Amino acid sequence: MLATKTFGKALQQSGRAALQTSARSAGSIRGKHTVPDLDYDYDALEPVISAKIMQLHHSKHHATYVANLNVAEEKLQEALAKNDVAAQVAVQPAINFNGGGHVNHTIFWKNLIGEKQGGGQLHEGVLKNAIEDKFGSLEQLSQVVNGKTAGIFGSGWGWLTVNQKGQLDVITTANQDTPAIVGHVPLLGIDAWEHAYYLDYKNVKADYFKNIWRVINWKDVAKRYDDAMAKIKN
């Protein structure tokens, strides 16, 4: 019990700084954040996600978060240099929103891979065992994630995470909030913003939630799980 509380407290403390730290490490050059290159072509996820959506989502939407994050961080540095506390506080929402958008999308791109490259295939291993122990099967996990994600009011994300107790969990976050805000380690993120699916699925987002499991990169998710559990043990 003490170990669980200690781990949870550590995650909460690290969560306060995790957004800024993660954003800076996710594709930054000389202090300027950049949109990370994809590991695949824009058409690699078809027919689940079209090349058109991928191009717009990656090169336009993600790029906007990055550009706005860079501007917000410049304003923060100016406010810090002037010891202007009011300005420091005023710029935090922009850093949280755009930094979250950058961090979340950086995870999202890595979470995806084409079906021909192994998308949707969860192989035997520690993560598969943990999913079956907690949810019964991958199919049941997808139903839980899809159900919660479909219930998001407005825009947000559905997540498979490791929670403060070191257990698999399913949560949602609003807008561009990250799981780190509540002390969770993100493993798999499902983007529920309209720009992620509307050109392909229109208002039938349930089909998007159903089909995206065909292009999940479970090798990436499994590595994130292994890394999270290793930190708990240490």
Side-chain angles (χ1 to χ4, degrees):
M1 183 68 175
L2 180 59
T4 298
K5 289 183 177 179
T6 301
F7 173 62
K9 184 177 180 181
L11 272 180
Q12 286 283 16
Q13 291 173 341
S14 64
R16 297 188 185 99
L19 178 57
Q20 187 173 16
T21 301
S22 297
R24 284 178 175 163
S25 64
S28 60
I29 299 177
R30 295 181 182 178
K32 291 291 186 180
H33 306 289
T34 60
V35 178
D37 293 334
L38 298 180
D39 296 328
Y40 41 81
D41 294 330
Y42 284 140
D43 63 357
L45 307 181
E46 291 186 339
V48 176
I49 303 176
S50 69
K52 182 63 173 178
I53 277 192
M54 287 299 299
Q55 181 179 20
L56 289 171
H57 198 173
H58 177 256
S59 68
K60 301 299 182 182
H61 290 284
H62 191 167
T64 298
Y65 293 123
V66 168
N68 290 339
L69 175 60
N70 286 329
V71 170
E73 287 195 339
E74 288 177 2
K75 291 181 179 179
L76 176 60
Q77 292 304 314
E78 292 173 0
L80 288 170
K82 296 176 181 177
N83 197 28
D84 186 341
V85 177
Q88 294 171 36
V89 173
V91 77
Q92 286 301 321
I95 291 176
N96 291 343
F97 180 78
N98 293 292
H102 183 30
V103 171
N104 291 344
H105 283 89
T106 299
I107 295 171
F108 185 58
W109 308 134
K110 291 290 187 180
N111 279 168
L112 302 175
I113 194 170
E115 289 182 274
K116 293 180 180 179
Q117 288 71 47
Q121 298 178 24
L122 175 61
H123 297 292
E124 296 294 333
V126 177
L127 176 60
K128 185 173 186 292
N129 292 339
I131 288 174
E132 291 177 348
D133 288 344
K134 180 67 180 286
F135 301 99
S137 67
L138 176 57
E139 175 64 26
Q140 288 175 293
L141 167 64
S142 68
Q143 291 175 7
V144 173
V145 174
N146 289 354
K148 287 194 174 183
T149 306
I152 294 173
F153 183 77
S155 300
W157 292 75
W159 298 96
L160 174 66
T161 67
V162 173
N163 63 24
Q164 296 173 343
K165 297 180 180 179
Q167 301 172 344
L168 289 179
D169 206 348
V170 174
I171 66 170
T172 61
T173 57
N175 298 314
Q176 293 297 350
D177 288 352
T178 73
I181 291 176
V182 293
H184 286 224
V185 178
L187 305 179
L188 168 64
I190 306 295
D191 191 345
W193 283 66
E194 281 193 350
H195 63 236
Y197 64 85
Y198 197 81
L199 285 179
D200 289 342
Y201 295 93
K202 301 300 185 285
N203 63 327
V204 191
K205 63 181 178 181
D207 286 348
Y208 161 68
F209 294 149
K210 177 182 177 181
N211 289 335
I212 198 169
W213 294 89
R214 294 162 49 189
V215 291
I216 296 300
N217 183 354
W218 285 106
K219 288 184 179 180
D220 179 72
V221 180
K223 183 181 184 305
R224 294 176 190 277
Y225 180 69
D226 289 344
D227 290 346
M229 299 308 291
K231 289 181 180 179
I232 293 173
K233 294 177 181 179
N234 292 333

